[in-house]
Every structure is written in C-alpha cells, then in structure tokens.
Amino acid sequence: MDTRPFLDKVMPEAWDAAEAYAASISKAVLQRGLTAQEVEFIKVRASQINGCAFCLDLHCRQARHAGIPQQKLDLLQAWRETDVFSEREAAVLMVAEAATKMPLTEDSQADLAAARNVLGEEVFVAAEWVAVTINAFNRISILSGHPVRPRDAAGKLTH
C-alpha cells in the first residue's frame, strides 16, 4: 500500500497556520457559550461521518476527559433514536451533521433552523465554526493517512 505524505510534515508552515486557526476558534467558541462537551460532541460526530479514525481516536479521548459519559459516546451514531441527549446536545449534533454532509438539503436546513432556535445566534455560529474546523482537520488527517496507534485504557501509547 502506498503511504501518503503527511500534509503537516511536508508543509509545516501550513500546519502551524492551521493549528493557530484552530486555537483561535477554540478560544472564541468557548467565550460565546459553547461548552467543552458540546465542542467534543461536534468533533466526534463529524469525525464519525467523515470516517476519520485518527480524529475519532483523539476526540473520543478528549470527550471522555471533558466529562461526556461513555454511554453517550456509544450512542452518538444513533443519537436521534434515543432520549439520552439533551435538547442542547441534540442541537449541536444537528449542526455537526448539517455542516459535514454537504450540500445542505431541506432536512439539514430545517435542522439548522431548529438548532439556532435552541442555541441562540452566538452559540449556534460558534457550533458551526467548530464543525467547519473539525471537517478541515478530518480532511488533513485522512489525506495524510495519519495512523491510529494502540493505547491502553488510560490513553497512553502502548508501544
């Protein structure tokens, strides 16, 4: 199997700019009222849709660290089929899905309108920025073929 060049290693100045952008978005969205848990819900759900193993590995760990219960992570792909997610959690998940599955459909536009009603404009826009950002990072990791390395239950690399 042909290995892909790591975008972050071949063009480190672009990677540095991407990291600075992501840090700026992270700070801004928390200031606008999006919680660390909501940020991780968006990152995990978008990474599931995009099939980004590297980002799923990273953000599932970060989601648990942010206090998201394992049951919610286990049910995330079927969140619409359960009542364990709050109205606000469902709203950020609607944003994650609509911003990841392009182009926007009538259903995704309806989801975005419903999410905006629940979250209010500033938190809604913050959620959209998180979704835009994780989608970019999913693409970087997928195109680079970033590997997932084995970890123990505590998240430490095993070798």
Side-chain angles (χ1 to χ4, degrees):
M1 180 174 161
D2 186 32
T3 57
R4 302 230 359 112
F6 283 14
L7 276 71
D8 49 328
K9 303 294 184 221
V10 175
M11 255 180 93
E13 67 278 15
W15 178 249
D16 291 346
E19 283 191 315
Y21 156 77
S24 176
I25 295 299
S26 292
K27 181 179 176 186
V29 301
L30 293 173
Q31 290 173 341
R32 296 215 170 35
L34 201 62
T35 69
Q37 286 188 359
E38 291 164 344
V39 167
E40 292 306 323
F41 273 128
I42 295 166
K43 290 178 178 182
V44 172
R45 186 64 189 119
S47 298
Q48 286 175 333
I49 293 165
N50 288 325
C52 185
F54 183 87
C55 292
L56 275 170
D57 182 52
L58 172 64
H59 291 293
C60 283
R61 272 195 323 278
Q62 290 183 346
R64 286 188 295 275
H65 182 73
I68 294 176
Q70 186 62 48
Q71 181 189 33
K72 287 187 177 183
L73 288 174
D74 293 342
L75 293 170
L76 197 53
Q77 286 187 316
W79 70 270
R80 292 178 190 264
E81 308 306 319
T82 179
D83 293 329
V84 302
F85 295 90
S86 71
E87 182 181 37
R88 194 168 151 121
E89 289 167 343
V92 298
L93 291 169
M94 287 181 210
V95 172
E97 290 183 354
T100 302
K101 299 175 182 177
M102 292 285 167
L104 292 177
T105 64
E106 285 185 34
D107 287 345
S108 59
Q109 289 181 22
D111 278 350
L112 289 173
R116 185 176 175 192
N117 286 336
V118 170
L119 299 172
E121 187 163 306
E122 287 219 350
V123 175
F124 171 76
V125 169
E128 287 190 314
W129 273 109
V130 171
V132 166
T133 305
I134 190 58
N135 274 286
F137 277 82
N138 285 169
R139 281 146 181 79
I140 292 166
S141 286
I142 291 167
L143 289 170
S144 296
H146 287 154
V148 175
R149 299 187 310 177
R151 296 178 182 275
D152 64 18
K156 303 274 188 226
L157 290 173
T158 58
H159 59 283

